[in-house]
Amino acid sequence: YSNDATIDNDAIMSEALPFLTRPIMLTGELAGDAGFDPLGFAKSKADLMNYREAEIKHARLAMLAAAGWPLSEVFDKKIALALHMTPLIDASDRAPSILNGGLDKVNPFYWMACIAAAAAVEFFGINKSKSDEESYFPGNLGFDPLGMYPKEKEGQQRMQLAEIKNGRLAMIAIFGFAIQEFVSKSGVVDETPLFFLPLSESFKIYTNSGYTI
């Protein structure tokens, strides 16, 4: 503050950036809201809800991708061999991606099915968000076939927080997978076999590559 500026004694500091005040739209109402919006994107409640809708969608996709990426590198060749098909991963055990290439080997009907499924979910989600249901919050599609969503409010908040935190971590992870494979020219499973392969096989890979564990 300048010497003659009016100081707001009620200002709340951001949890994420303690040297800045919490953006006015970020009230802590949403799960995972730590007051992080240094560029001021959320200028209204509507903006905030739109950004959260986008965040939760990307988070869920990233969680699926963060699991699917290494699993494809572990099982793709085995499944392709069993079905007498050509593997999609390359000679370095890297999954197809924009940076790795190989997307042209994926059947076009698969992409069509993905687009159709995504469009159906998006259409349902848009209708749900505009339904004015009191129980609706960004990302709440009512999908809970196993009945794992808690009935009490505290449990619901805990699960929402866990989802958004894991989703944010997954978005960072999948970005890391793509960059790592592009730079190292090696699959993430080969880089960190301890996480994905049996101990005996992991030990053999580390020994042959010169690593010690």
Side-chain angles (χ1 to χ4, degrees), residues 123-146:
F123 180 76
F124 178 77
I126 290 174
N127 286 338
K128 189 84 172 173
S129 66
K130 293 181 178 180
S131 64
D132 296 327
E133 293 181 14
E134 289 187 9
S135 61
Y136 182 80
F137 55 87
N140 180 15
L141 301 180
F143 181 77
D144 184 26
L146 300 180

Side-chain angles (χ1 to χ4, degrees), residues 23-41:
I24 193 170
M25 287 296 124
L26 303 185
T27 61
E29 173 188 355
L30 296 175
D33 177 5
F36 184 83
D37 185 19
L39 299 181
F41 286 122

Side-chain angles (χ1 to χ4, degrees), residues 36-65:
F36 184 83
D37 185 19
L39 299 181
F41 286 122
K43 300 185 184 304
S44 66
K45 181 81 171 186
D47 285 343
L48 179 61
M49 292 299 105
N50 286 334
Y51 283 125
R52 173 46 66 93
E53 288 279 6
E55 181 182 30
I56 196 67
K57 288 173 185 176
H58 283 82
R60 288 168 177 172
L61 283 173
M63 285 188 281
L64 290 172

